[in-house]
Amino acid sequence: MTDNSNIDKDFNIGTKVFLDNEYGVIIDLKIHELSTVIRWDTPKENDIEDWCSMWQPFFDIGGKIINQNHQFKYINDDGSLKDKI
C-alpha cells in the first residue's frame, strides 16, 4: 500500500499524473467536495475524468504523480488542447 499522507499537499491544479499508460494533468480540484478532475493527454476534445474521493484506489491500481517537467503530446500543462498544425 502506498503512503498517501501528503495527498492534500501533493495534489494541486497542474499536478501531472500517470495511470494505465496515460498521462494527464489535474485541471480542477475541490478539496471540500473531494472532487479532482484529470484531463488526459489524448487528441480527444474533452477527455476528462472526475476522481471524486477516489485517490486511494487511483494509487492502488498503479496511478502516480509524475515528473512535473513531463511534456505532453496533445495537451498543454493547463489541460487545454494544443493547437493543431
Side-chain angles (χ1 to χ4, degrees), residues 12-26:
N12 298 295
I13 292 175
T15 299
K16 296 177 182 180
V17 296
F18 178 82
L19 177 66
D20 290 336
N21 294 318
E22 287 193 68
Y23 293 92
V25 62
I26 296 174

Side-chain angles (χ1 to χ4, degrees), residues 41 71-77 80-84:
D41 187 25
Q71 296 294 306
F72 294 119
K73 183 175 181 178
Y74 300 106
I75 62 174
N76 297 304
D77 287 347
S80 62
L81 203 56
K82 289 184 177 181
D83 292 333
K84 296 176 185 172

Side-chain angles (χ1 to χ4, degrees), residues 58-73:
F58 178 85
F59 287 112
D60 289 347
I61 62 174
K64 59 186 172 182
I65 295 173
I66 61 167
N67 185 310
Q68 298 306 290
N69 293 321
H70 174 81
Q71 296 294 306
F72 294 119
K73 183 175 181 178

